[in-house]
Amino acid sequence: MPANIMTSIMNSLDIIYSWIWGAPLLVLLTGLGIYLTITLRGLQFRYLGYALRLVFGSQKAHPEAEGQGDISHFQSLMTALAATIGIGNIAGVATAITVGGLGALFWMWVTALLGMATKYAEAILAVKYRVTDEHGEMCGGPMYFIESGLGWKWLACSFAFFGAVAALGGGNMLQANSVADVMRTMFHVNPWWSGLIIAALTGFTIVGGIKSIGKVAGLLVPFMALFYIAGASIILAYHYDRIFDVIVAIITHAFTGQAAFGGFLGSTMLLALRVGVSRGLMTSEAGLGTASIAAAAAKTDLPGRQALVSMTGSFLATIIMCSVTGLVLGVTGVFGSLDEQGKLLNGASMTVAAFNSIFTGGGYIVTIGLVLFAFTTLLGWAYYGEKCVEYLFGIKSVPIYRVLFTLMIIPGAVLELDIVWKISDVFNGLMAFPNLIGLCALSSVVISETKLFLNVLKAEREAEN
């Protein structure tokens, strides 16, 4: 692509990004998280342990959790995590730090912790207002709870439209682009070949719908997360003496910005805040509304029970996974470094450099993790996108969307990284607006449903004793 056209596109996207991710969205996103945290009395902290037991414990220990739905609690969360734990946890953290400094990671943490309450609210509404389609599958999410709970069809349609487009951009092309980039860096594979292979594997899986996606996600997500964390733990153990200093720098630079050094141009507090919140939204999906689409497919007897399961996604994806990447980038000192061509290390290439700095072949851990993360993210977003399209155009449109989604992987693999990231951020922001507005308007329903659920939970615990 000619340089002048590239510059023009990037300038236009920067203007749109600045407008979307301005004060209104930041206030709405953080304000709603604070409000829900207060009104629900810190539910995301008080019931985190129970939520994790629901996810990872034996279903026999929780027979009351079985109910209507297509997939289990575990598969529902893994499908959501398949879309959540992806490029953002490896390349996204690196790009956030490159733009906003180490302080951006702090704002990612804040977004995730507050977002756990937001994600809980999204899921409880998604299950409460879910419906069954012509094929007998559960359908739910912001478009359904906005229409059924508020009667605002126009707002529901706007979410579904932005969701379908975002699935093609950030949920699809971004993943393919990052895989192609790291495969070219590590193995000199032509991006076109990477795109074709990923497209074939994705098309083969998504044709089976949510049950097929849930089974694949249930197998791959736990494996890839543990594999990546194990590799990162070796690096952190090697540089254990630097961890405290990096944490201090993350907190300090969140409020002061970070001065220029090496190839890093420096950042302000506002820039760290903006980048951290936008990337925190992407890595946790809190406020985005998409994870609630997977939550609506879960087998559960009460909306509140699945809502607790769903909120753990933000904790696992951002507080655990993103923190691991951020600390590795900090302790290895690759942040602000230049590559062999004199360009500032960014994205997956920076994370690869961090792993390679400790042991030979460390970059292969990132490569394998990134490929698996990207593939499962593609699967999760394929499901989100098709449910948005089904809401807009009916169930007959789903096969067409699946073909389009699969084909879009190929051009995504060869586009410029900066453009794909910016497009992803833009549509994530556009999708967040209708979801957050719906959540605000239905917050009283969230509170009343929570009270009913907590009363049931209290009765269950008393019966056990």
Side-chain angles (χ1 to χ4, degrees), residues 212-437:
S212 174
I213 293 172
K215 288 179 181 178
V216 173
L219 291 173
L220 286 182
V221 172
F223 167 76
M224 69 186 189
L226 292 174
F227 177 76
Y228 181 73
I229 289 174
S233 297
I234 295 174
I235 296 176
L236 295 177
Y238 185 84
H239 286 304
Y240 72 93
D241 56 322
R242 301 181 187 177
I243 294 176
F244 179 76
D245 291 338
V246 172
I247 293 175
V248 171
I250 289 170
I251 297 172
T252 302
H253 296 316
F255 299 96
T256 62
Q258 191 162 358
F261 70 94
F264 178 61
L265 299 178
S267 69
T268 62
M269 173 187 168
L270 181 59
L271 185 58
L273 173 62
R274 179 183 293 173
V275 174
V277 171
S278 65
R279 197 66 77 241
L281 172 62
M282 179 184 181
T283 58
S284 70
E285 288 189 21
L288 211 58
T290 46
S292 67
I293 298 175
K299 295 177 181 178
T300 189
D301 59 340
L302 294 169
R305 212 179 309 267
Q306 176 55 34
L308 286 180
V309 170
S310 185
M311 79 175 189
T312 63
S314 294
F315 177 79
L316 296 171
T318 303
I319 303 301
I320 302 297
M321 296 297 294
C322 289
S323 296
V324 166
T325 299
L327 290 173
V328 165
L329 296 177
V331 300
T332 54
V334 297
F335 170 43
S337 301
L338 305 177
D339 61 17
E340 295 177 355
Q341 286 73 42
K343 293 182 179 180
L344 181 66
L345 283 173
N346 194 2
S349 298
M350 185 195 295
T351 311
V352 167
F355 275 73
N356 275 334
S357 69
I358 300 302
F359 48 88
T360 304
Y364 292 109
I365 294 177
V366 178
T367 302
I368 294 172
L370 191 146
V371 170
L372 292 176
F373 286 171
F375 178 61
T376 55
T377 298
L378 279 162
L379 299 183
W381 274 92
Y383 178 67
Y384 296 162
E386 74 174 51
K387 285 303 177 184
C388 288
V389 168
E390 180 180 341
Y391 176 82
L392 291 171
F393 305 111
I395 200 166
K396 293 182 179 179
S397 64
V398 170
I400 299 174
Y401 184 82
R402 286 176 179 172
V403 173
L404 176 63
F405 186 91
T406 302
L407 292 177
M408 287 296 288
I409 292 172
I410 300 172
V414 298
L415 286 175
E416 291 292 331
L417 177 65
D418 290 342
I419 288 181
V420 178
W421 272 110
K422 196 65 69 174
I423 291 173
S424 174
D425 283 336
V426 165
F427 276 96
N428 280 345
L430 288 172
M431 187 166 43
F433 270 113
N435 176 58
L436 293 171
I437 292 171

Side-chain angles (χ1 to χ4, degrees), residues 5-224:
I5 296 178
M6 176 75 71
T7 301
S8 178
I9 292 175
M10 284 302 297
N11 289 338
S12 298
L13 288 173
D14 283 336
I15 294 172
I16 297 172
Y17 171 82
S18 297
W19 179 77
I20 292 174
W21 286 99
L25 181 55
L26 294 178
V27 170
L28 187 59
L29 186 64
T30 56
L32 180 62
I34 293 171
Y35 171 73
L36 289 172
T37 297
I38 294 173
T39 55
L40 297 176
R41 296 187 299 162
L43 176 140
Q44 69 264 48
F45 308 116
R46 292 187 294 129
Y47 289 94
L48 178 59
Y50 173 71
L52 291 172
R53 287 196 297 275
L54 276 177
V55 176
F56 300 110
S58 170
Q59 284 296 313
K60 293 180 180 179
H62 301 283
E64 74 280 359
E66 289 294 338
Q68 269 193 319
D70 302 316
I71 53 180
S72 68
H73 280 313
F74 179 77
Q75 289 177 332
S76 170
L77 180 63
M78 291 305 108
T79 300
L81 285 177
T84 306
I85 298 179
I87 303 303
N89 302 92
I90 297 179
V93 176
T95 56
I97 291 176
T98 299
V99 176
L102 287 170
L105 184 59
F106 175 84
W107 296 115
M108 290 176 68
W109 291 341
V110 172
T111 302
L113 290 174
L114 294 176
M116 288 174 69
T118 305
K119 208 161 187 176
Y120 169 88
E122 293 170 350
I124 203 169
L125 293 174
V127 177
K128 177 178 174 59
Y129 291 107
R130 65 183 177 178
V131 299
T132 305
D133 66 15
E134 298 171 24
H135 290 170
E137 287 189 357
M138 290 293 182
C139 298
M143 54 280 200
Y144 290 95
F145 67 65
I146 290 173
E147 180 183 0
S148 300
L150 298 171
W152 298 348
K153 181 78 173 180
W154 62 273
L155 190 64
C157 287
S158 67
F159 173 88
F161 172 74
F162 292 136
V165 176
L168 293 174
N172 180 325
M173 297 172 70
L174 175 60
Q175 313 306 316
N177 187 280
S178 293
V179 170
D181 178 54
V182 77
M183 290 298 287
R184 178 173 49 193
T185 301
M186 296 295 294
F187 304 110
H188 308 290
V189 177
N190 188 300
W192 284 102
W193 281 111
S194 295
L196 287 170
I197 294 172
I198 299 167
L201 292 172
T202 301
F204 178 77
T205 305
I206 66 176
V207 72
I210 182 58
K211 292 183 179 179
S212 174
I213 293 172
K215 288 179 181 178
V216 173
L219 291 173
L220 286 182
V221 172
F223 167 76
M224 69 186 189

